[in-house]
Amino acid sequence: MKVQFLQLQTHGDERGSLIALEEGKNIPFSVKRVYYMFDTGKGVRRGFHAHKTLKQVVVAVRGSCRFMLDDGQEKIEIRLDHPCQGLLIESFIWREMYDFSEDCVLMVLADQLYEESDYVRDYASFLTAVAQ
Ligand code: T46
């Protein structure tokens, strides 16, 4: 599956912790867009789509949530619960996010600007596309 865990180096000292995200170093693409989700309601499930070309790295900078990732053949569940964990998700991976903790701030770095035409929001169309 085109999904990878990235262990992000923490620079910690007596003042606290700091993690740097740098394109071409720990982020394997040029970053065109950053967005973040917060105040996600209890029991809410988001996502329900794949991307045709977009690559993203997701970090729970605060709190936790779970991802269900599906490449059309296999489904895996991943829990993000620490700011030192990055999750690289490449194209044609169906994703659903859920079990957001109340304090969850989910930050996403993307290699492209927002473009609705890059989304596959219909699961049957996704399965057809990955079968080809
Ligand atoms: C993804 C997962 C992890 C924008 O105007 N600009 C943006 O950059 C984004 C990401 C969204 N929007 C608008 C489009 C919708 O009206 O914000 C609204 C919520 O977006 P959406 O329903 O797509 O959110 P999620 O949580 O289902 O999915 C998002 C990303 O869209 C998606 O690329 O991989 O987070």
Side-chain angles (χ1 to χ4, degrees), residues 45-57:
R45 215 168 163 109
R46 306 187 62 125
F48 298 95
H49 61 260
H51 283 282
K52 295 175 189 166
T53 61
L54 191 73
K55 285 184 198 169
Q56 305 191 100
V57 170

Side-chain angles (χ1 to χ4, degrees), residues 33 35 37 46-49 51 54 56 58 67 95 97 106 108 114 116 119 121:
R33 175 167 55 109
Y35 60 93
M37 276 163 251
R46 306 187 62 125
F48 298 95
H49 61 260
H51 283 282
L54 191 73
Q56 305 191 100
V58 184
F67 273 72
R95 80 270 335 249
M97 300 91 79
L106 191 63
V108 185
Y114 177 70
E116 184 55 38
Y119 285 70
R121 293 195 184 269

Side-chain angles (χ1 to χ4, degrees), residues 51-71:
H51 283 282
K52 295 175 189 166
T53 61
L54 191 73
K55 285 184 198 169
Q56 305 191 100
V57 170
V58 184
V59 181
V61 291
R62 189 177 183 91
S64 63
C65 71
R66 289 181 203 275
F67 273 72
M68 192 286 290
L69 300 166
D70 174 358
D71 64 2

Side-chain angles (χ1 to χ4, degrees), residues 2 4 65 103 112 118-119 128:
K2 293 189 296 180
Q4 197 188 323
C65 71
D103 60 347
Q112 292 170 36
D118 192 67
Y119 285 70
T128 304

